[in-house]
Amino acid sequence: MKKVALSLLICLGMTHTDYAQKKDYQISAVAFYNLENLFDTEDDPKKFDEEFTPTGANHYTEAIYAKKLQNMSRVLSEIATEKIPEGPALIGVAEIENKRVLEDLLKQPKLKDRGWKIVHFESPDARGVDVGMLYNPRLFKVLDAEALFVDIKENGKQQYTRDILYVTGILGGDTVTVFVNHWPSRSGGEAASAWKRQKAASVCKAIIDKKVAENPNAKVILMGDLNDDPVSPSVAEIIGAGGDKDKIKPGGMYNPWMSFFKKGIGTLGYGDSWNLFDQIILSYGFINKKEAGWSFYKAEIFKPAYLISNFGRYKGYPHRSFSNGVWIDGYADHFPTYIYLIKEVQP
């Protein structure tokens, strides 16, 4: 990574005095985006994907698929580029049908020169949607990756949801553990389905606890569409993520989205209210001022004007792809989220 220029330091809110006294910084970004049903047009007999075919309910043609890819690539190409021209080091994604759609996405004109790579495993989810991760190999080196099964049984019957993507890699010299999640939906009601999301949270928590037991400053990033808000039990209690940095203890998790949510700011709208399901949660190692390497700087929701619907029932909410089964040339029903990390350059 290159050193950050003075102009960029000022953009980050650091003064000339800070720079003149001692500090030169590197900057990186991590993002998450629910791509809202990024399917190909083929009918996979092993998946309930019929609605996303040319003869299905959404009349999902090759032309619509091509436009969906174009729209998604525009968003991904712009996240965090106001401070980092080459964009985030890694981006977690959800609601993708398979690896092929990510390969097609990275071939888009706005992304093809980025050189991004893919981490993906097929999930057992009945609809066929998976999670995945895009990353810049110049900035992030994958050491290991696996899919974590979420074992959910209801009335003795196995239910299948998205696997959790578990990746270990090197980010600018730091070993970082990343979880990309898309926890079970609120189908059947928030309260009635809460145990399913808590089960998914527990899968991550068990590994996080092992990591921080070995090293309280272990650097862990838990991201995804959690289908729960920062105050929900799955996040606040099972993961134990708090919103006050000063109260996070060694081994704890920090959730920068708590303050957003308490101000009524969200990433998706439903029923005349906002939810903030799309979160990026960090371990204590990212906020410990005594710890070297990458530290948390700032959290952002990416919502330029073109991502906000200005008409119809979703006015003011994210400009989604479809409305009542009709393609409306949109993007996704969630806003992307991202965080900036900074690291002091040692002389």
Side-chain angles (χ1 to χ4, degrees):
M1 290 187 177
K2 296 179 179 179
K3 292 183 179 181
V4 178
L6 174 58
S7 60
L8 182 52
L9 292 172
I10 293 173
C11 185
L12 279 169
M14 299 176 184
T15 67
H16 186 277
T17 302
D18 292 329
Y19 183 84
Q21 285 182 344
K22 65 171 185 175
K23 298 180 180 178
D24 197 3
Y25 286 86
Q26 293 177 332
I27 182 170
S28 189
V30 173
F32 174 78
Y33 194 19
N34 180 323
L35 302 182
E36 192 200 4
N37 295 318
L38 181 57
F39 280 73
D40 61 31
T41 62
E42 298 178 10
D43 183 4
D44 186 333
K46 297 180 181 179
K47 302 174 181 178
F48 295 118
D49 65 346
E50 292 80 5
E51 64 181 317
F52 290 98
T53 61
T55 58
N58 291 325
H59 304 289
Y60 193 71
T61 63
E62 285 291 339
I64 290 176
Y65 177 54
K67 193 61 166 66
K68 172 76 171 179
L69 290 170
Q70 179 183 327
N71 290 358
M72 294 291 90
S73 69
R74 177 184 181 183
V75 181
L76 292 173
S77 72
E78 294 178 5
I79 294 174
T81 53
E82 71 275 15
K83 292 181 175 62
I84 308 173
E86 57 189 341
L90 57 95
I91 303 175
V93 292
E95 287 198 17
I96 54 171
E97 184 180 11
N98 48 42
K99 188 176 183 180
R100 176 206 161 175
V101 299
L102 292 181
E103 291 171 340
D104 289 347
L105 181 61
L106 295 187
K107 292 174 185 175
Q108 294 297 300
K110 289 184 179 295
L111 295 177
K112 65 183 180 67
D113 293 332
R114 294 285 181 94
W116 288 354
K117 302 295 183 181
I118 298 167
V119 183
H120 169 268
F121 298 96
E122 280 289 330
S123 284
D125 178 78
R127 288 186 59 238
V129 293
D130 308 330
V131 296
M133 192 179 83
L134 308 174
Y135 68 97
N136 185 333
R138 296 185 297 276
L139 306 177
F140 184 78
K141 178 183 178 182
V142 174
L143 298 178
D144 190 30
E146 64 179 293
L148 305 177
F149 180 65
V150 182
D151 188 6
I152 295 176
K153 293 184 178 71
E154 190 167 19
N155 299 321
K157 185 177 180 180
Q158 186 72 56
Q159 295 191 357
Y160 295 100
T161 187
R162 280 73 60 175
D163 286 341
I164 297 168
L165 180 59
Y166 171 41
V167 181
T168 302
I170 304 295
L171 177 63
D174 284 0
T175 300
V176 177
T177 297
V178 182
F179 297 91
V180 183
N181 300 265
H182 187 187
W183 291 352
S185 75
R186 292 185 170 189
S187 178
E190 176 186 351
S193 61
W195 68 273
K196 299 178 184 180
R197 292 181 294 282
Q198 292 173 27
K199 183 83 172 186
S202 297
V203 172
C204 297
K205 180 62 172 173
I207 296 175
I208 293 170
D209 284 349
K210 290 180 181 179
K211 293 283 184 181
V212 300
E214 296 169 358
N215 175 12
N217 287 303
K219 295 194 171 176
V220 179
I221 301 172
L222 186 155
M223 69 168 84
D225 175 359
L226 307 184
N227 271 306
D228 266 337
D229 293 309
V231 297
S232 300
S234 60
V235 182
E237 297 174 17
I238 302 297
I239 298 299
D244 187 342
K245 280 197 294 185
D246 294 333
K247 294 183 179 179
I248 305 300
K249 298 178 180 179
M253 299 291 286
Y254 170 59
N255 192 343
W257 310 100
M258 186 74 77
S259 60
F260 286 72
F261 181 72
K262 289 184 175 180
K263 293 175 184 176
I265 300 171
T267 54
L268 72 159
Y270 179 78
D272 295 324
S273 64
W274 285 96
N275 290 104
L276 209 166
F277 292 171
D278 307 272
Q279 300 167 53
I280 304 172
I281 300 169
L282 303 166
S283 62
Y284 175 76
F286 282 106
I287 60 170
N288 180 6
K289 296 179 181 179
K290 297 180 181 179
E291 180 68 9
W294 293 108
S295 63
F296 170 76
Y297 174 68
K298 191 177 184 181
E300 299 275 7
I301 297 175
F302 186 69
K303 48 181 179 179
Y306 70 84
L307 280 188
I308 302 172
S309 179
N310 57 15
F311 61 89
R313 63 185 293 197
Y314 301 112
K315 184 176 182 179
Y317 291 142
H319 184 18
R320 60 182 57 211
S321 300
F322 287 85
S323 178
N324 295 322
V326 177
W327 170 252
I328 54 174
D329 196 17
Y331 298 84
D333 54 355
H334 294 239
F335 290 134
T337 51
Y338 61 108
I339 60 167
Y340 285 114
L341 304 172
I342 56 173
K343 178 171 67 172
E344 184 178 347
V345 177
Q346 299 299 320

